[in-house]
Amino acid sequence: MNQLANGAWTPYYIMLAFAAGILLLLLIRAKIRSFDFPAKARSRVTIGNGQTIGARSEQDDYFASAETPVGTIAVLADGISGLDHGRMSSMMAVSTFIKRFMAMEPGEDVPAFLTTAAKQANREILRELAGARGGTTLVTALIDGDLLYWGAVGDSVLVIYRDKSFLPVNRKHTLELLLEKRVLSGELTKEAAMEDPRRNQLVNYLGYELFDNMDIGDAPFQLRRGDKVLLMSDGIYNALSEIEMEDILNDSATPDEAAEQMIERIENKRIRHQDNATIIIVEPSI
């Protein structure tokens, strides 16, 4: 009888051992996942922003940021004030980039995303304009851990503030660039290029019939601890010198405080023809 009873219970012991093994594996898996959290936390960033309408009658700058498992993106667009529908163009451009970014999956090709988003934004702006005059610049930064991916079109700029120095990332798409090439080829003197009233005229922007593509980094920019990524419309860098910005960045504890102080300093200058001014400051936690 006892031998028969022990044999009858054997399958139950096997099932209990199997269940215990599954439970142990689940606990180990949960423990492994818990070690992933610090790595993800290191990819988080601190973002500050500031904006002023300046002496303009309308705010044509538009900006946004978002964070997903892919990383953190910041986008700034400066609607062209000399054209109609600048505000509409900047809002559509930023919205297009943010929507496409929110749909990205981890591991997707970032340069391909930037190229596709820019072309889509250009098409949608042209469709909305329906032959009317409009357009916008755009600069964007996508940060994944210590890697910075970027894209830019127009004259909004992206710079890295590192060790009390400004590292320019993109080049402005203005006639100034073409004039510099003519100076290098000997077709034009440096003085004539500097005096050309068209030097700040945009030669590429979103909402442009001949738009081809935005500039995109050939490889991601390697960020370091303490770096600050600055996205600026021309209303910022035309109103503040690098020395002024450096003083603010060195004295400010957070990106938000630095952005607010830059806007406050611009407004206190009361520049007669002050353009819309927008700045985003991103500080990765590396």
Side-chain angles (χ1 to χ4, degrees):
M1 290 286 296
N2 289 338
Q3 289 179 349
L4 289 173
N6 289 337
W9 280 97
T10 299
Y12 294 100
Y13 290 134
I14 294 173
M15 291 179 64
L16 287 172
F18 180 74
I22 293 295
L23 181 60
L24 180 62
L25 288 173
L26 290 174
L27 290 172
I28 293 173
R29 185 180 180 186
K31 187 67 174 176
I32 291 173
R33 283 182 175 177
S34 72
F35 286 122
D36 287 341
F37 294 147
K40 291 180 180 178
R42 285 196 297 271
S43 69
R44 295 185 64 84
V45 303
T46 304
I47 301 178
N49 57 69
Q51 186 178 72
T52 179
I53 194 172
R56 303 289 188 183
S57 59
E58 186 175 40
Q59 178 57 266
D60 292 322
D61 289 0
Y62 195 69
F63 67 95
S65 61
E67 184 176 7
T68 72
V70 173
T72 301
I73 194 171
V75 191
L76 186 157
D78 177 1
I80 302 172
S81 301
L83 303 178
D84 299 328
H85 311 294
R87 179 170 176 77
M88 179 276 292
S89 300
S90 64
M91 291 179 66
M92 288 192 69
V94 172
S95 297
T96 298
F97 270 78
I98 293 296
K99 287 178 183 177
R100 290 198 66 92
F101 173 73
M102 297 300 290
M104 282 186 72
E105 295 290 340
E108 281 192 41
D109 185 70
V110 177
F113 150 71
L114 294 172
T115 298
T116 303
K119 291 184 176 180
Q120 179 183 339
N122 189 63
R123 287 195 305 269
E124 292 183 359
I125 292 171
L126 287 172
R127 186 183 304 118
E128 187 69 22
L129 289 172
R133 301 170 70 247
T136 184
T137 73
L138 184 138
V139 62
T140 182
L142 196 163
I143 297 175
D144 178 14
D146 60 353
L147 298 179
L148 166 66
Y149 300 86
W150 63 273
V153 56
D155 62 357
S156 293
V157 302
L158 177 69
V159 299
I160 310 298
Y161 185 66
R162 172 184 292 172
D163 298 330
K164 298 184 178 181
S165 296
F166 291 93
L167 308 177
V169 177
N170 68 303
R171 299 194 68 178
K172 295 183 287 184
H173 293 167
T174 62
L175 192 62
E176 179 181 9
L177 182 60
L178 300 179
L179 293 173
E180 288 177 357
K181 291 181 179 178
R182 292 185 62 189
V183 171
L184 291 174
S185 66
E187 300 176 41
L188 196 68
T189 65
K190 186 175 181 179
E191 291 73 20
M194 292 293 294
E195 295 172 1
D196 194 312
R198 303 168 301 161
R199 60 185 289 104
N200 292 323
Q201 179 180 317
L202 290 175
V203 295
N204 194 26
Y205 54 89
L206 297 177
Y208 182 39
E209 289 281 0
L210 300 179
F211 171 78
D212 180 35
N213 205 351
M214 71 190 312
D215 283 346
I216 297 172
D218 295 331
F221 188 95
Q222 188 80 44
L223 296 171
R224 300 178 186 172
R225 182 182 297 274
D227 283 355
K228 290 183 175 65
V229 182
L230 279 64
L231 294 78
M232 299 181 282
S233 66
D234 60 348
I236 294 288
Y237 63 76
N238 284 334
L240 296 177
S241 66
E242 287 191 356
I243 294 176
E244 289 175 304
M245 288 191 283
E246 182 180 340
D247 288 342
I248 293 172
L249 290 168
N250 289 341
D251 294 339
S252 301
T254 68
D256 205 44
E257 291 173 346
E260 290 178 0
Q261 287 183 37
M262 288 188 192
I263 295 301
E264 182 179 359
R265 185 167 297 193
I266 290 174
E267 291 178 335
N268 288 339
K269 287 189 174 188
R270 300 185 183 279
I271 300 172
R272 183 176 180 184
H273 298 294
Q274 174 63 49
D275 196 0
N276 299 153
T278 303
I279 183 166
I280 304 175
I281 302 176
V282 185
E283 185 173 7
S285 178
I286 301 174

